[in-house]
Amino acid sequence: SAGDAEIVMNGVTIRRPSNTIDDLVPGVAITLRGAGTSPVDLRVEPDRERIKDSLIGFVGNYNKIIADINILTRKDENIITEISYLSDEEREKAKEKLGIFQGDVTLMQMRNTFQGIMMNPYPTALGRDLSLLAQIGISTNTRQGGGGIDATKLRGYLEINETLLDDSLKKNLSAVRDLFGSDANGDLIPDTGAAVAMDAYIRPMVQIGGILPMKAGTIDAQIAGTNKRIESYNQYLERYEKDLKRKYGAMEGALGGLEKSSQTIENFNKSGSGNR
């Protein structure tokens, strides 16, 4: 008959109303599949697949930002052609934005800073043996198969060597964690690593009152001012058009009167000539 789940853990009998127990081991949910009398050893392993997916997502978002910066700051349509994951509609929208912020210092500095963060060394448990993202398979690959430089790979995008990444996650997981965030001063707060450095750089960029919101606000104000000037000029043109129509109407009336007077004089002259 149905009843509460019952297990013995470290000599203590525990009963729960569900077969899923998540309050015994912090951060771990235990699901009971069937009854048994033999002891069971539980070994908690890191979810390496989830970690790998997070790293792939991180690199994907990084590449998307670099692609957006390249599109906004350059006029070369090859930048759009090289991005294989864009739909036809996204390509057309990208062409509309191509080079509209060409020469923008903030975006250029952002790209350079991002690249520096991803290439810099960071302290880990393995020291120099694992201090670069390239050592776990995350790098900017600029080489072709023949050994030459591939110009299309000089845009700053990152690539992932999955074999090397899988091996690093399997053998050196703690050092991989240190690459992205670790506590260097013992205050239990991550203060070094690629993710920490990226967060520290991005936060003042996007927070309320930050650099990008202020620039966006400035652009919005400029657009609003330009639209106001356009509206004022359209009103001026409308008034000017009415004034010209009035003047040309008056001129047309004057010419009509002059023509009529000329005709009258001409008829008078003809009449006088006949009398003589």
Side-chain angles (χ1 to χ4, degrees):
S1 59
D4 290 347
E6 182 178 296
I7 64 173
V8 178
M9 182 173 178
N10 296 330
V12 179
T13 301
I14 300 164
R15 292 183 179 86
R16 295 290 185 272
S18 170
N19 284 344
T20 300
I21 303 172
D22 58 6
D23 57 355
L24 296 182
V25 181
V28 176
I30 302 172
T31 301
L32 306 179
R33 298 297 185 183
T37 57
S38 301
V40 176
D41 290 331
L42 296 179
R43 184 173 63 181
V44 180
E45 291 283 349
D47 190 344
R48 288 178 170 81
E49 281 302 315
R50 187 174 179 181
I51 295 171
K52 178 181 176 181
D53 289 342
S54 296
L55 293 178
I56 292 174
F58 177 80
V59 171
N61 288 328
Y62 174 90
N63 283 341
K64 187 178 185 306
I65 293 174
I66 295 297
D68 287 341
I69 293 176
N70 287 338
I71 291 171
L72 291 171
T73 58
R74 300 185 183 183
K75 284 287 190 180
D76 187 359
E77 285 197 18
N78 289 328
I79 293 173
I80 300 175
T81 305
E82 295 161 4
I83 305 175
S84 59
Y85 57 81
L86 293 179
S87 65
D88 292 339
E89 183 180 355
E90 288 173 331
R91 290 183 188 280
E92 291 303 316
K93 289 183 178 179
K95 288 179 181 179
E96 294 175 2
K97 299 185 294 183
L98 193 66
I100 61 175
F101 287 134
Q102 189 173 18
D104 186 272
V105 176
T106 300
L107 292 178
M108 303 295 286
Q109 289 179 342
M110 185 184 298
R111 181 177 59 198
N112 293 337
T113 301
F114 280 177
Q115 292 175 335
I117 289 173
M118 301 307 288
M119 290 188 295
N120 287 341
Y122 299 99
T124 71
L126 295 179
R128 291 186 177 180
D129 291 336
L130 207 167
S131 61
L132 299 170
L133 293 180
Q135 292 172 296
I136 65 170
I138 299 176
S139 64
T140 300
N141 181 12
T142 62
R143 295 287 177 180
Q144 292 179 332
I149 297 296
D150 184 353
T152 64
K153 294 186 176 182
L154 297 176
R155 312 293 189 193
Y157 304 121
L158 292 175
E159 296 182 2
I160 297 178
N161 183 326
E162 288 198 48
T163 301
L164 183 54
L165 179 59
D166 288 338
D167 188 60
S168 299
L169 292 175
K170 181 180 179 180
K171 297 178 180 178
N172 303 309
L173 184 59
S174 61
V176 173
R177 177 200 61 198
D178 292 343
L179 271 180
F180 290 90
S182 65
D183 174 23
N185 57 16
D187 62 357
L188 303 181
I189 299 175
D191 48 34
T192 185
V196 174
M198 191 69 74
D199 179 72
Y201 179 72
I202 293 176
R203 190 177 298 276
M205 286 278 185
V206 300
Q207 66 186 7
I208 297 176
I211 296 173
L212 294 184
M214 287 184 63
K215 287 180 72 69
T218 300
I219 293 173
D220 287 341
Q222 291 174 345
I223 292 174
T226 300
N227 288 336
K228 188 174 182 180
R229 288 194 296 272
I230 291 174
E231 183 180 357
S232 297
Y233 197 69
N234 284 335
Q235 293 174 353
Y236 165 75
L237 288 177
E238 186 177 350
R239 292 194 302 268
Y240 187 64
E241 181 184 15
K242 290 180 179 179
D243 187 52
L244 286 178
K245 286 181 177 179
R246 181 183 58 78
K247 289 180 178 179
Y248 281 118
M251 185 180 296
E252 185 178 10
L255 287 174
L258 182 61
E259 183 180 8
K260 187 175 181 180
S261 298
S262 176
Q263 187 67 37
T264 300
I265 293 173
E266 184 178 351
N267 291 337
F268 179 77
N269 287 336
K270 289 180 178 179
S271 174
S273 176
N275 290 331
R276 288 195 298 268

